[in-house]
Amino acid sequence: MTGKKDRSDARLNVARYQIERMLPPEPADRPASSENQPEQNTTGQSMMEARAQYVEMAIQQAIRRGEFDNLPGAGKPLTNLDRGYDPDWWIRQKIESEKITGLGPPALTLRAENTELDARLDGAQSEAAVTEILNDFNSRVVAARRQLQGGPPVVTPTRDVAEQLSLWRERRAVRSEAARQQREHEAAALAAMTWRERRRARSR
């Protein structure tokens, strides 16, 4: 039993925890002598060992029924392994998953905004708009660092405007080139069609 119980499979550990929670609690009014003499069942097995054996049997039966097959995230790498320990990870994850804006301490809302800032910049149509977004973001980061209301520290960096403008131009050029190649591909495919095929394609 010890070998099975020491397995590091996270799914089995979760199952053990859930099954143990469903078991009835151990009586709180045991005699004082039971501290030195573990309670035993009718077969002479300690109650702790019997409890562990029941949990393992329930898990093995669930495995045979396929209840652990095709679980969400199975076979996929764990996310955010490249990030250091963050005591407020669950708040940040909630903000990011629910796309919550304007709520929570600035340290977390700015961090969530920073992860989506490139996409927001790519939606801007001019360098002036990009500069305005960056200046607004940087000013809020600086103001949050100076705030005296407590809360987690602000670790979100400011963005260098000149550098971000250069990156924005590069990403825009890549998108423009991809769109040009797509148009040329579609035009070549259309030219290779018969007039009937072109008519059907245009009518779709």
Side-chain angles (χ1 to χ4, degrees):
M1 292 302 300
T2 303
K4 290 183 179 180
K5 198 165 186 178
D6 290 339
R7 282 183 295 188
S8 59
D9 191 309
R11 295 177 300 172
L12 298 185
N13 291 336
V14 171
R16 291 190 185 98
Y17 173 75
Q18 292 176 338
I19 294 173
E20 287 177 350
R21 289 194 63 182
M22 291 187 294
L23 292 175
E26 296 181 356
D29 55 347
R30 286 185 179 178
S33 61
S34 65
E35 296 180 359
N36 298 325
Q37 296 180 357
E39 186 177 350
Q40 296 183 340
N41 58 17
T42 55
T43 63
Q45 188 181 36
S46 72
M47 296 303 295
M48 183 175 296
E49 292 177 351
R51 189 184 185 95
Q53 185 175 14
Y54 172 82
V55 169
E56 289 297 330
M57 289 177 59
I59 290 173
Q60 295 304 320
Q61 291 173 0
I63 291 175
R64 286 193 290 271
R65 290 193 299 268
E67 294 182 8
F68 293 154
D69 297 342
N70 301 320
L71 293 177
K76 298 180 181 178
L78 297 176
T79 59
N80 302 329
L81 289 179
D82 56 331
R83 299 184 180 179
Y85 173 69
D86 181 3
D88 302 307
W89 64 269
W90 61 278
I91 302 178
R92 175 184 53 75
Q93 184 174 348
K94 185 67 175 177
I95 291 174
E96 292 177 356
S97 62
E98 299 294 335
K99 300 188 182 300
I100 300 173
T101 59
L103 298 178
L108 302 180
T109 57
L110 286 171
R111 192 182 308 175
E113 183 178 350
N114 187 49
T115 61
E116 300 179 354
L117 187 58
D118 288 344
R120 184 183 173 195
L121 294 176
D122 289 344
Q125 300 301 315
S126 67
E127 294 188 8
V130 172
T131 301
E132 182 179 355
I133 293 173
L134 289 169
N135 286 336
D136 173 69
F137 176 76
N138 287 340
S139 64
R140 287 185 288 111
V141 170
V142 172
R145 290 175 180 173
R146 294 173 178 169
Q147 59 91 17
L148 302 176
Q149 299 177 356
V154 177
V155 297
T156 302
T158 56
R159 298 286 190 103
D160 183 271
V161 176
E163 179 184 2
Q164 293 301 313
L165 278 172
S166 177
L167 294 174
W168 174 80
R169 295 188 197 102
E170 292 176 4
R171 293 194 299 268
R172 189 178 189 185
V174 170
R175 293 195 303 272
S176 178
E177 177 62 19
R180 185 189 65 80
Q181 292 181 4
Q182 179 65 22
R183 290 193 300 270
E184 290 182 354
H185 174 75
E186 292 175 355
L190 188 63
M193 294 179 181
T194 64
W195 67 272
R196 290 184 178 178
E197 291 173 336
R198 285 197 294 269
R199 186 173 61 181
R200 284 197 299 267
R202 289 167 179 161
S203 63
R204 291 175 184 173

